[in-house]
Amino acid sequence: MTSRLPSPSPSPSPSPSAAPRRRTVVRAAAGAAALAPLAATAVLGSAPARAAENAPGFLHGVASGDPLPDGVLLWTRVTPTPGAVPGSGLGPDTRVDWEVAEDQAFSRITASGSVTASAATDHTVKADVRGLRPGTAYWYRFTAGSTVSPAGRTRTAPADGARVPGVRFGVVSCANWEAGYFSAYRHLAARSDLDAVLHLGDYIYEYRTGGYPEAKYVVRPHAPTHEILTLADYRTRHGKYKTDADLRELHAAHPMVAIWDDHEFANDAWSGGAENHTPGPEGDWAARAAAAKQAYFEWMPVRASTEGTVYRRLRFGSLVDLLLLDLRTFRSQQATVGGGTVDDPDRTITGRIQLDWLKSGLASSQAAWKLVGTSVMISPVAFGSLPAHLLEPLAGLLGLPKGGLAVNVDQWDGYTDDRAELLGHLTGQNIKNTVFLTGDIHMAWANDVPVTAATYPFSRSAAVEFVVTSVTSDNVDDILHVPADTASLVAETAVKAANRHVKWLDMDAHGYGVLDVTAERSQMDYYVISDKTQQNATSSWERSYRTLNGTQKVERADQPVR
C-alpha cells in the first residue's frame, strides 16, 4: 500500500543457523498422561505470565498458525531475564516445554515436547506439532522453569478431501500501531466460529514515530522511535506489537495464516530496493531485507517455504484450497507512473517460478473453491476525474500522480503482463470459483475481476476479489481529517462509474472481514469499528457480498452469515 509509507522487500531468507534449536517429542495420548502436571494454567487472553521477579516470563503471548490436517505451528517468546528484551541480543539459553491438550484443563494431553530459546532467535520458539486429529480444536501452552504461559486455543484443518459443510476465516490487513488501537483484533478474537484468521500483510509498519501518521495525529508511540533498519530494530518493533492485548488475544484464540506486504520491510518494496529505502544513509537493501525476513519468521507463526519466502498452499478438506502469495520478494521495480512500462513482459510482480506454481496449483486443485491471498489488488482500477481536494489524498494512499489520472503501479495494474497471463489461464483452463483476498489499500472493495476491463460487463469475469480495509492505517477521511462518508462519497461514485466491475467500495471505514465458504457460495461480511482511536471501540456489520458457485461474479447479500 502506498502513501509515503514504507514497504516490504526481497532478499535472503533466514539462514539455517537462525532456526530455533528444537528437540520435539510428540506422544500419543495414551502415553502423555505420564507428563508431570504444570503449575496453575493461565487462561486464554489473560495477562502475560511471569512467575516471579527474575523468573522467565511469557510477556508476548502465544500463537499458532498454518494449520494442517494433522498438525499446527505453535509459537511463543520467553523473556529469560529482565534485560533480555526483544532486539537486545541478551539472555541465556532457556528450555521451553510445550504441550497440546484436548481440553482447556489440560487433563487429556495429546502431544508434548521442548524447544530451546536463545538470543540467536531473539528468544522466540516454534514447535511444528504433528500427529493431531483433523478438524479438531486443541489447547496449548508453554512452560519455562516454574512459569506457565497463557493458554492458547487452536484448530487443525479438515482431512484432505474431506467433505465439510463450511470453512470460515477472519480476514485482516494493515495495522499501524501509531494510527490507533487494534480493536478489530479483539472482536475477531471473541468469535468462536473461525477456522483461522488470514492476515494479508502490513502486520507491522517500519516508520519512525510521527512518520506516518504525522506526529500530531499519533495515537500511541511505537518502539523503537526511529525508522527500523537493522535486525535489532525489526525485532524490537515486532516485540512492541505483541505487547498489544488485543493482538495477543487474537493469536491466543485462533490460528493465523499470514503473508507479508511491504511494511514488514519498507514502503513499496521490490526485489532490489524500496521507495522508503535510501542506499548509503540507510545501508544495503539486501541486508535490511534479510533482517526484516529473519525477524518476521522469528516472531510470526508462519512456516517459511524452501525459498525462505511466504508463498505456500494450505488445504481445508475438499472445500477450499488456499494459495498464498509473496508479491514483494521477486517483483520488478515499480514502473514510472505514465512511463508506459506497465505492460512490459519482462517486468513481473510474482516472478516466473511463483507464477508457474500458482497456475499449476489452480489448474490441479480439486477443491470447490480456490482462494488466493494477494497482498495488493489484482482488479484493474482506472481513476476518473476527481476534484483536486480528493485527488491528493487518494494519490497519497494509492501512489497516484497528484496532477492527474493514472493507475496504481504498486498493484497488479503496474504489472499487466503477469495479470493477463494469470487471468488468461483461469479462463483458458475453465477454472471456476477463484476468489482473490486482498489487503493493502486501506479500503473495502467487492469486485468482479474482468479479463478486459474496458469492455466489461460485455466481456468475461475470470474471478472475484474481496478487499478488506485496514485495522488502523489511515484512509481518506483520516487523511482529510473530516467525518467519514462525507468527502469520500464523491470519490467512491467516480471510481465505480469508471470501473463497472467494482460493485462496492468504502474508502473510510476501519475493521475486518469474515469470509464464509460453503459449496454453494463464498461470502464476505464486512465489519467496521466505531473509532480506531478508542481502545473500547465497538464493532458492527456494514455490508456483505458473495459469489455463487460457478458465476465468477459478486452480488450483494442481505445479511451476514450466522
Side-chain angles (χ1 to χ4, degrees):
M1 144 96 231
T2 306
S3 86
R4 171 40 219 168
L5 337 177
S7 246
S9 120
S11 127
S13 59
S15 65
S17 63
R21 291 181 290 158
R22 68 186 58 168
R23 178 167 55 85
T24 301
V25 181
V26 178
R27 303 173 183 166
L35 187 70
L38 296 174
T41 306
V43 298
L44 180 70
S46 66
R50 182 182 286 281
E53 179 67 23
N54 293 311
F58 295 96
L59 308 182
H60 300 88
V62 300
S64 68
D66 284 4
L68 303 173
D70 69 338
V72 69
L73 190 69
L74 304 182
W75 176 95
T76 193
R77 201 260 182 187
V78 65
T79 302
T81 60
V85 296
S88 67
L90 302 176
D93 289 3
T94 303
R95 172 174 165 156
V96 179
D97 296 313
W98 57 266
E99 55 186 355
V100 177
E102 297 179 357
D103 64 318
Q104 187 174 0
F106 287 84
S107 63
R108 300 191 302 277
I109 305 297
T110 298
S112 63
S114 66
V115 285
T116 298
S118 72
T121 56
D122 208 22
H123 287 95
T124 64
V125 294
K126 292 180 181 179
D128 200 345
V129 183
R130 302 297 173 93
L132 305 179
R133 296 197 311 273
T136 303
Y138 290 95
W139 292 81
Y140 63 95
R141 64 185 178 185
F142 299 86
T143 186
S146 61
T147 307
V148 182
S149 75
R153 184 176 58 222
T154 191
R155 185 174 185 84
T156 54
D160 286 344
R163 296 176 64 87
V164 292
V167 176
R168 190 172 294 179
F169 302 107
V171 189
V172 288
S173 174
C174 303
N176 187 340
W177 178 282
E178 293 204 331
Y181 294 101
F182 297 159
S183 304
Y185 291 159
R186 171 166 44 86
H187 291 290
L188 277 174
R191 297 185 68 121
S192 60
D193 58 346
L194 303 180
D195 291 279
V197 171
L198 308 183
H199 202 296
L200 297 171
D202 295 344
Y203 182 97
I204 65 168
Y205 278 72
E206 84 283 15
Y207 295 107
R208 63 174 174 81
T209 288
Y212 173 68
E214 58 184 294
K216 64 181 177 180
Y217 298 112
V218 168
V219 175
R220 51 179 182 167
H222 53 43
T225 56
H226 58 267
E227 183 178 333
I228 53 178
L229 299 170
T230 67
L231 177 58
D233 291 342
Y234 282 98
R235 285 170 163 175
T236 302
R237 187 65 57 86
H238 273 281
K240 181 67 171 179
Y241 266 65
K242 283 189 170 67
T243 63
D244 182 89
D246 293 335
L247 178 54
R248 289 200 311 269
E249 189 175 344
L250 177 69
H251 276 302
H254 308 294
M256 180 175 282
V257 177
I259 56 175
W260 57 49
D261 192 27
D262 53 343
H263 294 292
E264 286 86 351
F265 300 81
N267 185 58
D268 286 357
W270 58 284
S271 60
E275 178 276 334
N276 192 37
H277 179 81
T278 305
E282 295 182 335
D284 176 67
W285 171 251
R288 181 179 184 179
K293 282 189 175 183
Q294 181 174 331
Y296 184 88
F297 285 123
E298 288 170 349
W299 280 87
M300 296 294 290
V302 168
R303 290 187 190 88
S305 75
T306 55
E307 293 183 282
T309 179
V310 291
Y311 77 81
R312 62 203 189 278
R313 175 160 131 175
L314 297 172
R315 290 173 170 157
F316 294 81
S318 63
L319 189 61
V320 168
D321 269 356
L322 177 59
L323 298 106
L324 301 150
L325 302 185
D326 175 356
L327 298 184
R328 294 295 167 179
T329 297
F330 311 104
R331 72 156 69 196
S332 307
Q333 186 172 8
Q334 292 84 350
T336 301
V337 174
T341 62
V342 296
D343 299 325
D344 185 345
D346 292 331
R347 299 180 65 262
T348 181
I349 191 171
T350 60
R352 184 74 257 165
I353 293 174
Q354 184 178 197
L355 184 56
D356 287 345
W357 167 85
L358 175 60
K359 289 166 59 181
S360 175
L362 291 167
S364 63
S365 174
Q366 299 300 308
W369 293 91
K370 277 67 70 177
L371 308 182
V372 181
T374 169
S375 57
V376 296
M377 197 156 75
I378 192 169
S379 301
V381 179
F383 290 86
S385 179
L386 290 172
H389 75 286
L390 286 174
L391 183 59
E392 184 166 353
L394 283 178
L397 278 173
L398 306 176
L400 308 176
K402 295 184 179 180
L405 309 181
V407 297
N408 181 351
V409 295
D410 189 57
Q411 298 182 168
W412 289 75
D413 271 337
Y415 303 86
T416 59
D417 194 72
D418 276 2
R419 181 172 61 195
E421 181 176 338
L422 178 56
L423 299 186
H425 178 71
L426 291 176
T427 55
Q429 297 294 315
N430 198 29
I431 299 170
K432 298 185 183 302
N433 297 342
T434 301
V435 178
F436 291 94
L437 303 172
T438 308
D440 174 69
I441 206 169
H442 306 182
M443 308 173 191
W445 304 62
N447 306 326
D448 296 340
V449 183
V451 175
T452 307
T455 58
Y456 199 74
F458 304 106
S459 57
R460 295 182 64 178
S461 175
V464 303
E465 181 173 34
F466 296 128
V467 183
V468 294
T469 189
S470 63
V471 171
T472 60
S473 301
D474 283 0
N475 46 30
V476 173
D477 62 320
D478 302 313
I479 293 171
L480 292 174
H481 307 293
V482 298
D485 299 321
T486 54
S488 63
L489 293 180
V490 176
E492 290 168 2
T493 300
V495 169
K496 286 189 289 185
N499 301 272
R500 287 176 288 181
H501 56 282
V502 175
K503 304 306 177 184
W504 175 72
L505 76 158
D506 180 345
M507 292 184 169
D508 289 336
H510 300 280
Y512 57 93
V514 174
L515 180 74
D516 186 77
V517 184
T518 67
E520 293 75 28
R521 54 100 184 105
S522 289
Q523 177 169 320
M524 180 69 86
D525 298 331
Y526 295 88
Y527 289 86
V528 299
I529 58 168
S530 57
D531 187 343
K532 68 173 183 173
T533 68
Q534 300 298 315
Q535 283 186 289
N536 62 348
T538 58
S539 170
S540 60
W541 171 69
E542 181 183 24
R543 285 272 187 119
S544 292
Y545 283 84
R546 66 187 180 190
T547 177
L548 302 180
N549 187 329
T551 64
Q552 284 67 252
K553 293 186 177 182
V554 296
E555 64 180 28
R556 187 170 178 179
D558 293 334
Q559 59 185 10
V561 294
R562 303 297 184 186

